[in-house]
Amino acid sequence: MSASLAPEPAATPVEAPRPHGHPPHLAVPSIPVLGDFHVPPRVLAITALAVPVGAVAALVAAGLLKLIALITNLGFRWRFGFGSAVPADATHRWLLVVMPVVGGLVIGLMARYGSEKIRGHGMPEAIESILVGGSRVQPRVAVLKPASAAISIGTGGPFGAEGPIIMTGGAVGSLMAQLLRVTTDERKALLVAGSAAGMAATFNAPLASILLAVELLLFEWRPRSYLPVAVAAVTATLVRGPLLGTDPLFGGAHVPAHLALPDYGLCLVAGAAAGLLALGATALVYFSEDCFSRFTRLRVHWMWWPALGGLIIGLGGLVEPRTLGVGYDVIDALLTGHATVGLVVGVLVVKTLIWGLSLGSGTSGGVLAPMFMVGGALGAAEALVFPHVGPGFWALVSLAGVLGGVMRSPLTGIVFCLELTHEINALIPMVITASTAYLLSVTLLKRSVLTEKLARRGLHLTREYSVDPLETHLVRQLETPAAVTFRADRPAGEITALLRTAHDAGDPEGLLAQRLYPVLDAEGALAGVVTRGRLIHADPTDRTPLASLATPPVTAHPDETLRTLANRMAHHEVTRLLVVTPGPDGRPEAEGIITLRHLLTARRIDHHEEHHAERVLRWRGRRAAEMPAPARG
């Protein structure tokens, strides 16, 4: 190396005392404390806020169920009451057609003059709010969404209350967070906590609600988000008890403790059928949405679409009245083996058609309860030809399969069915069925019924979660040594001339291979950094000391992760960091340089591990045959 270059500094860590008048702006980064999880102190405060969020969401969920019952009684029985009621008990048959149309008209008016965000089944809207809306939900949505859902379901809509309560519970958490000074991620945690709490209160299924939040809404697995969600779901379930009871929502399928081996094989068949049904139901929803969107060419405003969807619901209700409404009584009959063949076929055909076609109209309602009914009907139909295991066994496993296929959340589907029926003996069959349906769904369909709407709005959502490869690599594994340093008292023009000469000569000493140069003071301490671009384009006659061009470096520590550095580069808008460690006297010394190229190297390593196939172990006989014979002398 040229004599004009200072000796290479030794390696050193970060945030130590600075004796001998060391420049105060050059801090030595503190040694990072790495662990499995990062838990900021504010997690406790956000988790505490999840308690009132869960309680309020439970009250809203209970209120929504009561409001649905009230509207059903008023619309179909012409009486005021909050008791259980189903559209099939209508006092006049013509109400089965009229009431869904009336409900659609009201929802269309609410969407046009209230908020268009009440349209749809709730989950895509909650996901969109998280992805691009900063987890902010408008106050009016918190009021209009449950009201529109109650009107839609109460007037015969074949939907569930879970989608709207996810949006409404999320609105409760979001509104509370918007009143406080919190980060966007903390607001997201409270929004999802409210959504999970609403689900838990509606179905008395806290664990499934937590899993749904993890698989579909959080887009991460961290203590900062899991803990508020878990606390809110548990709180909502405890509040639900005195209001709605603590018994399982549906009767058990009476699954025996031991199944015959062929029954497990038929669970694969049931899973395949559930997966195909999930594909058909998803395609039907968006076929319907495409058909309704064509009405815009005929100048039919979308405000009228829910009424047209209501007409489809009403015509289906004339064929099979028990397909209208949430249908918890029908689901219970399917899961306990008490459904007739006519009801099974009617639900399987009519419920699927009116749900898919009417949901595409932009009305308000959820997808889970309809899938409970359709999945149960599929299993009940299979029970007509499959061996008898339990009164509602095939209905239960097919229900789990349809959930796994439609929502692409198999763990949520399995645990939901367990919590809804408390049939622990069905665990293994449900795992087989749900996983088979999930495999078929993700193989044959790019988007689910929950994410296709987001894709049509120009958003991409990936549901594959993995460890960031930048988190598994440390700086010291990839950094480049800081081989070239300059003295602070050297004239800037002299360095410029040196670099230009090196460029013209083909850079034999490697001066230009480095793009960030540490600048050292008279005592050899780090005084700052200067970039190659700034030096090589300077005036060669400039006699200004190099110290005047040096700037405080953005530093890194050898034991920091590349993910931490990627965030630091983005924050400071730089592509190179100086790696420093404290020297023997506590002053910072330049050890190396880490650049954007090193981050890409970590990505390349991860890509190689994912796509490069190799054989690690070989059979001894084959290996011996492949070894060259020893030379003979």
Side-chain angles (χ1 to χ4, degrees):
M1 193 61 64
S2 169
S4 61
L5 304 179
E8 179 182 350
T12 87
V14 216
E15 213 46 67
R18 308 177 187 89
H20 307 296
H22 178 65
H25 57 272
L26 296 184
V28 186
S30 56
I31 298 176
V33 179
L34 303 178
D36 294 341
F37 296 100
H38 173 63
V39 186
R42 288 171 60 91
V43 167
L44 295 177
I46 300 301
T47 302
L49 288 173
V51 174
V53 168
V56 174
L59 295 175
V60 171
L64 175 60
L65 296 177
K66 294 297 183 182
L67 185 58
I68 292 173
L70 173 63
I71 294 175
T72 303
N73 277 298
L74 290 174
F76 292 97
R77 302 298 303 276
W78 292 0
R79 67 183 184 186
F80 186 92
F82 295 94
S84 177
V86 293
D89 295 334
T91 54
H92 301 285
R93 190 171 177 80
W94 55 267
L95 290 174
L96 298 174
V97 178
V98 172
M99 288 309 300
V101 175
V102 172
L105 286 172
V106 174
I107 293 168
L109 291 170
M110 292 174 68
R112 182 170 184 180
Y113 299 106
S115 174
E116 190 177 347
K117 293 185 180 297
I118 68 171
R119 304 176 69 207
H121 47 90
M123 289 192 195
E125 289 73 23
I127 295 172
E128 183 178 15
S129 174
I130 293 168
L131 286 178
V132 298
S135 299
R136 298 183 181 92
V137 178
Q138 298 174 346
R140 70 173 70 178
V141 175
V143 177
L144 293 178
K145 187 64 179 179
S148 65
I151 293 171
S152 174
I153 300 170
T155 56
F159 311 114
E162 72 290 328
I165 196 57
I166 280 180
M167 189 66 181
T168 306
V172 171
S174 176
L175 291 176
M176 180 174 292
Q178 290 179 58
L179 294 172
L180 303 171
R181 189 178 183 87
V182 297
T183 67
T184 301
D185 283 340
E186 290 168 342
R187 190 162 51 246
K188 177 187 72 173
L190 288 176
L191 184 153
V192 178
S195 297
M199 283 285 292
T202 302
F203 291 107
N204 193 28
L207 183 55
S209 302
I210 295 170
L211 280 175
L212 181 70
V214 171
E215 288 194 294
L216 193 62
L217 298 175
L218 284 177
F219 312 111
E220 65 179 25
W221 175 251
R222 296 184 179 185
R224 71 177 188 185
S225 52
Y226 164 76
L227 291 173
V229 168
V231 168
V234 170
T235 301
T237 306
L238 295 177
V239 173
R240 170 204 158 91
L243 300 175
L244 301 172
T246 57
D247 294 332
L249 199 61
F250 303 121
H254 307 294
V255 180
H258 301 286
L259 275 68
L261 191 59
D263 294 335
Y264 291 108
L266 288 175
C267 287
L268 291 171
V269 178
L276 293 174
L277 179 60
L279 297 177
T282 301
L284 181 63
V285 169
Y286 290 103
F287 167 77
S288 171
E289 190 170 286
D290 291 338
C291 291
F292 276 102
S293 65
R294 294 190 181 99
F295 283 119
T296 55
R297 303 175 187 174
L298 303 176
R299 297 184 179 180
V300 177
H301 195 277
W302 56 258
M303 180 185 73
W304 305 106
W305 299 356
L308 297 175
L311 181 60
I312 295 173
I313 294 170
L315 295 176
L318 289 178
V319 178
E320 178 51 75
R322 297 188 70 180
T323 60
L324 301 188
V326 176
Y328 287 165
D329 58 326
V330 176
I331 299 171
D332 188 76
L334 292 168
L335 292 178
T336 54
H338 295 144
T340 63
V341 175
L343 178 60
V344 169
V345 175
V347 168
L348 192 57
V349 176
V350 176
K351 183 78 172 186
T352 303
L353 288 175
I354 64 175
W355 170 78
L357 294 175
S358 60
L359 192 61
S361 69
T363 190
S364 181
V367 301
L368 282 185
M371 289 301 96
F372 289 166
M373 188 183 292
V374 172
L378 174 65
E382 292 168 344
L384 299 176
V385 294
F386 284 3
H388 179 75
V389 177
F393 171 78
W394 294 111
L396 178 59
V397 297
S398 294
L399 195 162
V402 170
L403 286 181
V406 170
M407 299 178 61
R408 260 92 90 84
S409 301
L411 296 179
T412 298
I414 295 165
V415 176
F416 242 132
C417 294
L418 286 178
E419 291 189 298
L420 291 175
T421 63
H422 290 191
E423 284 289 347
I424 191 64
N425 289 339
L427 177 59
I428 297 301
M430 286 194 294
V431 170
I432 297 172
T433 307
S435 300
T436 304
Y438 174 72
L439 171 64
L440 201 64
S441 178
V442 298
T443 303
L444 300 180
L445 196 64
K446 289 294 184 183
R447 304 282 184 179
S448 73
V449 71
L450 306 179
T451 58
E452 175 66 22
K453 180 172 287 188
L454 297 175
R456 294 183 173 208
R457 294 175 183 174
L459 300 175
H460 170 64
L461 170 65
T462 179
R463 295 181 59 193
E464 293 185 347
Y465 307 128
S466 60
V467 175
D468 187 347
L470 299 183
E471 191 69 62
T472 62
H473 290 83
L474 301 180
V475 172
R476 55 181 164 79
Q477 296 171 324
L478 296 173
E479 65 177 305
T480 300
V484 182
T485 62
F486 294 114
R487 294 292 184 184
D489 56 359
R490 293 282 298 278
E494 181 180 320
I495 305 301
T496 297
L498 179 67
L499 295 179
R500 291 185 180 181
T501 300
H503 179 270
D504 295 337
D507 194 26
E509 296 181 327
L511 296 180
L512 301 179
Q514 190 170 314
R515 295 178 179 238
L516 187 69
Y517 303 114
V519 178
L520 308 181
D521 62 18
E523 297 179 349
L526 183 65
V529 292
V530 64
T531 62
R532 188 187 70 182
R534 185 169 186 180
L535 288 175
I536 204 168
H537 294 103
D539 183 1
T541 63
D542 186 5
R543 307 304 297 174
T544 304
L546 192 59
S548 63
L549 299 181
T551 58
V554 182
T555 60
H557 187 277
D559 289 328
E560 288 184 301
T561 65
L562 294 189
R563 180 177 178 178
T564 301
L565 265 60
N567 294 333
R568 191 172 300 157
M569 287 180 180
H571 177 71
H572 292 281
E573 298 182 355
V574 296
T575 57
R576 289 171 181 79
L577 302 179
L578 186 66
V579 182
V580 299
T581 55
D585 57 358
R587 292 183 293 180
E589 295 182 354
E591 174 182 297
I593 296 172
I594 197 85
T595 70
L596 185 60
R597 179 177 59 85
H598 296 105
L599 272 60
L600 296 179
T601 298
R603 291 285 184 189
R604 188 172 67 251
I605 293 172
D606 181 68
H607 183 271
H608 176 81
E609 292 176 349
E610 181 178 355
H611 296 284
H612 177 69
E614 61 181 346
R615 179 180 302 211
V616 179
L617 297 178
R618 298 176 182 271
W619 293 105
R620 180 177 298 179
R622 178 175 177 180
R623 182 169 184 176
E626 293 175 351
M627 292 178 63
R632 296 182 180 180

